[in-house]
Each structure stands twice: as structure tokens, then as C-alpha cells.
Amino acid sequence: MIHLKKISINQLICLVILTQVGVSVLSIPYAESRRAGYDSWMSILVGGMLAQIAIIIIYQLGKRYPEQSLQQYIFSILGKPLGSLMNLLFALYCAQSSIMVITSYSDVLNRWVLFQTPFFVIVGISLIVTAYVASSTLGSIATITQSILNMFLICFVIILVSGMGKGDWRHFMPIGSHGIGSILKDSVPAFWAYAGYDLLLYVFPFVKCNKKKDIFIAMSIANGVTTLFYLLITILVMYNFSESQLNTITEPMVYMLRKFRWPVVQSLDILFMTIWLSVTTVTAYVYLFLSARYFAFVRIKEIRKHSFLVWIVALICFTVGIWFSDRQLLFKFSEYHNKATMIMIALFPTIFLLISYVREKVARE
């Protein structure tokens, strides 16, 4: 069985936080400042609020089917043919998310750390580690993720120390000068950075708690921590760089770490990216795990060979991923993935919830 035990509330919080933070931390606030500029910190907050609304929708959906995950109750909502199709779509989306994380970070490592290492080697090694963890049980994955939380805290300290160097707080003035329209438009890419809470679609019935409300509180805490973390990074980056610099630096976090001089460590940026690799691996193996679980229910009756499915999906991810050594192709894939994210983790859960309400009302009448 893939579920030997349920996960705790603390493990749920840890899983969601580390699934959310991923690769986005390196590019914030570049993507969120295209229109809002120095007001992008407000776009980050709006993105976090949008993610919270999506969490409420997913939670309400889970409460209606407390003993089943989405893979199972989707058949009650949509019927067998459409239910199988949706499981397939979610399986492909999760595999795509895993590819996105691995190839994006492999690209960063290839350009900043492992200059001479072929791109396919970095992707291959990353996928082997990712698949090995993803082939475990949910409880084992949660336990491993808890231990990686220490690496996240170390990275947090590095960011905090390096970001408090020479900068200018006047960069933030005047507040709101770019207008509410620009802030709201840049909140969309900010919202994409919060992807990871959709994990609840699967783990809802496997969380050990006294009341189901505890799950919602845990999800809100996790999303709140991620929001504060992204907000801190955005503020520190904007404190260190001018608006014109932010328009040209795609990975401002790396440059911020590089310009900081620490006598103990020669290259703080390389140290950070090496440690952060473990954090991005969490996002990759969680989505790989979820992809295998969705594939397991494509035929309605569960396919119980979880490890086999994980390695098959990993092989497909590797075959697709090696094409993204071309950065232009990677950018196009990223744009497509962002649109898919909006549909899969926000639009579809909302539609499922509405349909379930309608079905219940019709059944009562």
C-alpha cells in the first residue's frame, strides 16, 4: 500500500511550504515588477491572497468528500469518462510541473555553478534523486521533507544576512506610484509562484487531525509563511537594486548574494544555490509523486504499482526535459506552464465545487 500511515498537521505545513517556494525564489521580484516596478511587493501580497482564495475552494471541495482524494471523487462529480480524462490531465500537469522545476533549476546550475557539465547530466541526476524519493510512501516523503526544512531555514538566514547590506530605502517611495492596475496585473505571475497548495487535492483524506478545520488552518499558515518569505525577498531585492536594474536582471537574488562580501565564505551565491537545490528537489518529487497517483486512477480502478509508475513518469520527464537546454524553448514552456497552472489549480477546482453543489441540490429535489 502507498499509504502506510497518515501525515500530521505539522508535516502538511512543511510539505506545502517547501512545495510552494521552489525555483521562483531566484527570479522574484523580476517577473512581478514588469509593470508594478517598486510596488511589486504589493503584487506579491495580492498573489498570496489569491492563493488563499484557491485554498478555500480546494478545502471546501475536500470537505464534501472527506474520505477520498480528488482522483477518486472526481468520478462522482463528472462521471467515469470525464473523470478518467481529468485524472489524465492532472497527471500530465503534475509531470509538467516536475519537469519545469528540474529543468529551470538545472539551467540555473548550468549557468552559475556547473559550467562544464552537460545539461542532460544535471537533469538526469536530478530526476534519479527525485524519482527515488517519489517512489516512497506519502508518510516517508513527509518525513524527508521535514528534515529538508532545516536547509530552508539556513537559506533564509543567508538571504537575510546578505540582503541587509548597502541599499537605499528610498527605492520604495512614493508607494503606489505605478497604480492599482499595474499592481493587479503583476499579481498574476505572483500567483503562479504560489503553486503547491494544490497538494491538498490529494492529501486531504490522509491528514491526521481532530477536526477538518485544522487542515484549513494548517494550509493558511503554510501559505502565510510562503507569502511572508516572498515578501521579504522582494523587499530585500528592491532595497539593493534600482528599478532600471530590476528590468534587466532576471535572477536578482543571485546577484544580491554575489555582491555581498562575507569573509568566511568566498562565493555566497554558489553556497546558496547548492543548499537550495535540496529545497527545489522537494517541489520536484512532490509533483512527481502526485503525477504517479493521478495516473494510477486513469482507468478508474487503481493501478497499485506506484514505484513503477513513478519511474515511467520520470523517464518521460527526462526525455522531454533534455530539450530545454535551449533557453528560448524553456521560456516558451514556462509561459505555457503558467497558463496551465491557472487552469488546473484554480479554475478546475472551482468548477468541480460548483458541479458538486448542483449535483447535491438536484439529488435533494
Side-chain angles (χ1 to χ4, degrees), residues 4-20 137-149 196 199-200 203 206-209 214-215 218-219 221-222 282 285-286:
L4 299 181
K5 60 180 180 180
K6 292 190 174 184
I7 62 174
S8 67
I9 288 293
N10 290 336
Q11 287 177 322
L12 174 63
I13 293 173
C14 185
L15 271 170
V16 175
I17 291 173
L18 295 188
T19 303
Q20 281 185 314
T137 64
L138 179 61
S140 298
I141 288 175
T143 302
I144 293 170
T145 305
Q146 276 186 306
S147 64
I148 295 177
L149 183 64
L199 172 70
L200 185 61
V203 303
F206 308 116
V207 180
K208 183 170 57 179
C209 58
D214 294 340
I215 297 177
M219 293 294 296
I221 291 172
V282 174
Y285 68 60
V286 166

Side-chain angles (χ1 to χ4, degrees), residues 207-258:
V207 180
K208 183 170 57 179
C209 58
N210 295 323
K211 296 179 293 184
K212 293 303 180 184
K213 188 177 180 181
D214 294 340
I215 297 177
F216 175 71
I217 294 172
M219 293 294 296
S220 299
I221 291 172
N223 190 59
V225 170
T226 303
T227 302
L228 290 175
F229 179 64
Y230 280 159
L231 180 62
L232 172 68
I233 292 173
T234 302
I235 290 173
L236 289 176
V237 168
M238 292 191 299
Y239 169 70
N240 281 273
F241 299 104
S242 67
E243 196 165 291
S244 59
Q245 288 175 315
L246 284 178
N247 288 330
T248 56
I249 301 174
T250 56
E251 288 148 1
M253 262 290 300
V254 181
Y255 282 94
M256 185 179 77
L257 294 167
R258 172 159 286 192

Side-chain angles (χ1 to χ4, degrees), residues 9-228:
I9 288 293
N10 290 336
Q11 287 177 322
L12 174 63
I13 293 173
C14 185
L15 271 170
V16 175
I17 291 173
L18 295 188
T19 303
Q20 281 185 314
V21 291
V23 184
S24 300
V25 66
L26 298 177
S27 59
I28 287 177
Y30 172 78
E32 289 74 24
S33 62
R34 299 303 83 218
R35 301 176 185 86
Y38 280 131
D39 292 325
S40 61
W41 63 272
M42 287 187 273
S43 298
I44 292 292
L45 288 176
V46 175
M49 288 187 284
L50 292 175
Q52 185 62 28
I53 292 172
I55 287 172
I56 293 172
I57 292 170
I58 292 174
Y59 170 72
Q60 292 298 328
L61 187 60
K63 271 208 317 180
R64 299 183 66 79
Y65 307 91
E67 303 302 321
Q68 295 179 312
S69 59
L70 175 65
Q71 292 93 319
Q72 297 166 306
Y73 65 71
I74 192 66
F75 296 109
S76 301
I77 296 175
L78 300 178
K80 292 182 179 180
L82 282 178
S84 294
L85 176 62
M86 288 311 306
N87 275 335
L88 177 61
L89 289 178
F90 270 97
L92 293 174
Y93 166 73
C94 290
Q96 180 189 115
S97 297
S98 191
I99 294 172
M100 190 71 243
V101 172
I102 289 174
T103 54
S104 295
Y105 207 72
S106 295
D107 175 63
V108 172
L109 290 175
N110 201 216
R111 288 184 291 109
W112 289 90
V113 184
L114 305 173
F115 313 106
Q116 302 299 323
T117 307
F119 181 78
F120 75 89
V121 173
I122 303 174
V123 172
I125 293 174
S126 299
L127 273 169
I128 289 172
V129 174
T130 298
Y132 178 75
V133 178
S135 61
S136 304
T137 64
L138 179 61
S140 298
I141 288 175
T143 302
I144 293 170
T145 305
Q146 276 186 306
S147 64
I148 295 177
L149 183 64
N150 296 323
M151 310 301 285
F152 172 75
L153 295 175
I154 291 172
C155 289
F156 176 79
V157 173
I158 292 175
I159 293 170
L160 192 61
V161 172
S162 62
M164 295 303 292
K166 292 181 180 180
D168 193 344
W169 292 111
R170 289 175 297 180
H171 288 167
F172 297 90
M173 302 298 174
I175 295 175
S177 60
H178 293 80
I180 187 66
S182 297
I183 293 169
L184 291 176
K185 286 178 181 177
D186 277 345
S187 68
V188 175
F191 172 73
W192 295 331
Y194 288 93
Y197 57 80
D198 48 304
L199 172 70
L200 185 61
L201 288 168
Y202 175 73
V203 303
F204 193 98
F206 308 116
V207 180
K208 183 170 57 179
C209 58
N210 295 323
K211 296 179 293 184
K212 293 303 180 184
K213 188 177 180 181
D214 294 340
I215 297 177
F216 175 71
I217 294 172
M219 293 294 296
S220 299
I221 291 172
N223 190 59
V225 170
T226 303
T227 302
L228 290 175

